[in-house]
Amino acid sequence: QVQLVESGGGLVQPGGSLRLSCVASSGILSIYTMAWYRQAPGKQRELVAVISSGGQTDYADSVKGRFTISGDTAKCTVYLQMNSLEPEDTAVYFCNANQTWLGDEYDYWGQGTQVTVSS
């Protein structure tokens, strides 16, 4: 029943910045692990950044130092601040919510937002 809606994608030049937002339908940020994935043409979907309900974060090596994931529990929103963008960052970016409880996995996805980095 969880719904995730991404926004903030677009066209940006190399070296530019974008801020993606993911709005959830309920206050799941307090109990779910939230993450951003991306999928480029011809490639598999990959994990970009993750934040736990306790605020712990982790990033793919390719984006460390450039991307920052954060959450606003009151607004039910997760953000991905992307700086120093490169053409290799071009992909559809997806928001994900995940929780494992008593052996059952709960996994939800947004529809995705396109990020294109090009001169």
Side-chain angles (χ1 to χ4, degrees):
Q1 196 169 356
V2 174
Q3 292 180 295
L4 305 173
V5 180
E6 304 99 329
S7 63
L11 175 64
V12 64
Q13 294 185 335
S17 298
L18 285 174
R19 185 178 179 87
L20 306 183
S21 298
C22 172
V23 180
S25 59
S26 61
I28 65 172
L29 274 65
S30 62
I31 58 174
Y32 278 74
T33 296
M34 305 297 297
W36 287 96
Y37 287 75
R38 67 186 181 187
Q39 187 166 18
K43 296 184 178 180
Q44 294 184 328
R45 184 170 55 192
E46 65 172 339
L47 177 65
V48 176
V50 60
I51 183 168
S52 72
S53 59
Q56 184 180 27
T57 60
D58 201 4
Y59 302 89
D61 288 340
S62 60
V63 306
K64 286 182 179 178
R66 300 189 298 119
F67 291 11
T68 302
I69 186 171
S70 62
D72 187 330
T73 303
K75 294 184 177 181
C76 298
T77 302
V78 175
Y79 304 96
L80 184 67
Q81 178 67 48
M82 305 184 295
N83 300 324
S84 302
L85 284 162
E86 305 168 350
E88 292 74 18
D89 297 316
T90 296
V92 177
Y93 284 71
F94 298 91
C95 183
N96 169 261
N98 182 270
Q99 178 182 248
T100 299
W101 187 70
L102 296 178
D104 293 327
E105 183 177 12
Y106 301 84
D107 199 55
Y108 303 93
W109 295 89
Q111 294 297 308
T113 184
Q114 176 71 49
V115 172
T116 302
V117 185
S118 176
S119 60

